[in-house]
Amino acid sequence: MRVSLAVSVLLAVACSGPPAEGPPDRVAPPNIVILYADDLGYGDVGCYNADSKIPTPHLDRLAQQGMRFTDAHSSSGICTPSRYALLTGRHHWREFHGIVNAWGGPRFAEERLTMAEMLRERGYRTACIGKWHLGWDWQALMKPGAKPKGRRNYSADQFDWSKQIPGGPLAHGFDYYFGYNQWESPFYNATNIWRNFDHAGLIKDYNTDVFTDEALNFIEQSLDAAKPFYVQLHYHTVHSPLKPKAPDEYQKPFDSGAQILDNFYAHVYAVDQNVQRLLDYLEEREAADNTIVVFTSDNGGSVGNLSCLPGNAPYRGHKGMLLLGGFRVPLFFHWPRGIQEPQQLNQLVSTMDIIPTVIAAAGGKVPADIDGKSLLPQITTGSTKPVRDHFAVGGIHARVW
């Protein structure tokens, strides 16, 4: 199989396939949790790289007990485009190429449905936690005559904060939002976090733990209300800069002799430990059996800017490149009730395939105009039928291809 590559303009369109199959028999629709790492390399997780220096036992267990895809790709080597593709199931380059800047507008056309909107129509409670980076309609809050200071920056007094900000997660299917709209958020003492329409103030604690706390609270409320839930938990890890270091409890397992490596390892390890917190709670509430947990990354690992060498092995390249290291990502599904026999699958797939897969699993109708393909036959029966014979990738930061 081949991957079609081009720089920043237009690439081949994925071939069409049969409509998504319906969900397997079950008593209730599955809960859905999508764990989305930021700039995590293909080889940073133990189940994809036996030589990884980072212990990820809980993620590895999810992969071993689920369906693990070895040939998965994001739609882009950078974050905003790949996040758009995840939520819509469409190639980002049909609409745009670049990332959203601090005051950037929404990336969604009015008529474009997101995964959250489709699931909410089916009775799900929906939450967006962590990185959004798909824009808000800041123009709606700007006072008359507001002008940027410098190239892009506006001061706070140029906005009417008595108004709610339109165009963000709450306008695209999410009932609850706790997160940030920029490319990064400080691990500690963050001031760019919003809770729904309100600024959340100073968030002092380590954000991997904080985002998990928010997810657990939302899951608890949903289970108490006997409602199915969809939570997209988009961690900041391991986007640079990785300073200050991860908490000591996550640093303890590492002593490589290089603090920058130990810190990188610790941040990834923190995600693994927080995933275990989620799994433990789901099991405690007897909800784990019918919860689909998906794990992936927005693109390949990054280099430079206070980060360290990425774990994209065995592939060359890194975030922003159209070499495989820029967009080949880990992807696995864990769903005890729906997966008959855990295994590794080698079909050419994409993170765009997540949306038609979970919509089909929830009993919904997959839109005909998306590029993603339902993987429900693969994850429920282990089907080895090809999903597509080529895949298109693009990005404005492509330096090498």
Side-chain angles (χ1 to χ4, degrees), residues 31-355:
N31 304 305
I32 300 159
V33 178
I34 296 181
L35 304 170
Y36 207 47
D38 197 344
D39 296 356
L40 185 76
Y42 181 92
D44 282 328
V45 183
C47 56
Y48 283 88
N49 179 9
D51 295 324
S52 174
K53 305 299 183 183
I54 312 169
T56 53
H58 308 304
L59 289 171
D60 295 347
R61 176 169 67 87
L62 283 180
Q64 291 159 3
Q65 295 177 353
M67 288 296 184
R68 180 169 69 93
F69 291 90
T70 62
D71 196 7
H73 305 262
S74 62
S75 75
S76 172
I78 53 176
C79 51
T80 295
S82 61
R83 292 166 192 275
Y84 172 89
L86 173 75
L87 273 176
T88 64
R90 286 172 58 86
H91 288 294
H92 68 277
W93 42 257
R94 296 190 185 282
E95 309 294 339
F96 68 94
H97 292 282
I99 64 171
V100 169
N101 292 308
W103 304 109
R107 290 303 191 187
F108 301 100
E110 188 69 27
E111 71 279 3
R112 179 57 51 201
L113 290 177
T114 67
M115 179 160 33
E117 288 171 298
M118 297 179 209
L119 289 170
R120 190 163 68 176
E121 288 176 354
R122 300 199 62 78
Y124 280 72
R125 297 184 76 239
T126 56
C128 172
I129 297 169
K131 187 171 181 176
W132 172 242
H133 207 197
L134 288 164
W136 293 77
D137 185 5
W138 296 103
Q139 295 290 330
L141 272 66
M142 285 186 182
K143 295 177 181 178
K147 295 181 180 180
K149 296 182 177 181
R151 185 180 174 188
R152 298 175 182 151
N153 293 326
Y154 293 85
S155 59
D157 60 5
Q158 292 179 292
F159 296 86
D160 181 354
W161 297 108
S162 67
K163 298 179 181 179
Q164 292 184 343
I165 312 171
L170 301 178
H172 294 288
F174 290 100
D175 298 313
Y176 179 70
Y177 171 60
F178 181 87
Y180 57 102
N181 184 46
Q182 294 163 287
W183 44 86
E184 60 97 8
S185 180
F187 280 106
Y188 306 90
N189 298 316
T191 58
N192 62 343
I193 304 293
W194 292 75
R195 188 187 303 277
N196 294 326
F197 292 113
D198 300 319
H199 185 244
L202 177 66
I203 306 299
K204 294 183 178 180
D205 295 331
Y206 181 58
N207 67 20
T208 299
D209 294 340
V210 171
F211 293 151
T212 305
D213 290 342
E214 291 288 330
L216 286 168
N217 289 338
F218 186 85
I219 290 170
E220 179 181 25
Q221 293 166 11
S222 301
L223 292 173
D224 288 347
K227 298 279 287 183
F229 57 82
Y230 162 53
V231 176
Q232 65 169 49
L233 178 50
H234 289 198
Y235 287 113
H236 173 234
T237 300
V238 281
H239 196 290
S240 66
L242 295 178
K243 292 184 177 181
K245 69 177 186 177
D248 289 344
E249 64 183 290
Y250 304 127
Q251 294 274 345
K252 287 179 181 178
F254 306 106
D255 187 17
S256 69
Q259 175 55 37
I260 191 171
L261 285 176
D262 290 346
N263 190 40
F264 181 90
Y265 299 159
H267 283 299
V268 178
Y269 181 66
V271 169
D272 183 78
Q273 296 298 297
N274 274 274
V275 168
Q276 180 61 19
R277 293 175 58 205
L278 284 169
L279 299 176
D280 286 346
Y281 185 73
L282 290 170
E283 290 172 0
E284 176 187 326
R285 294 297 300 267
E286 299 182 347
D289 185 60
N290 197 30
T291 296
I292 300 174
V293 178
V294 186
F295 181 84
T296 188
S297 179
D298 62 345
N299 45 247
S302 180
V303 169
N305 193 23
L306 300 181
S307 185
C308 60
L309 291 176
N312 295 323
Y315 306 109
R316 292 192 303 141
H318 56 77
K319 173 184 178 179
M321 286 186 172
L322 288 183
L323 292 170
L324 284 175
F327 56 87
R328 192 155 180 165
V329 293
L331 173 63
F332 50 83
F333 293 76
H334 182 268
W335 185 19
R337 181 173 294 184
I339 294 174
Q340 295 180 10
E341 183 178 353
Q343 60 183 291
Q344 171 184 301
L345 295 173
N346 305 317
Q347 291 99 322
L348 177 61
V349 300
S350 166
T351 53
M352 291 191 303
D353 300 334
I354 294 172
I355 175 173

Side-chain angles (χ1 to χ4, degrees), residues 2-6 9-15 91 93-94 352 371 390-394:
R2 61 190 176 84
V3 178
S4 303
L5 302 179
V9 186
L10 179 66
L11 308 171
V13 180
C15 59
H91 288 294
W93 42 257
R94 296 190 185 282
M352 291 191 303
D371 301 300
H390 67 278
F391 182 67
V393 182

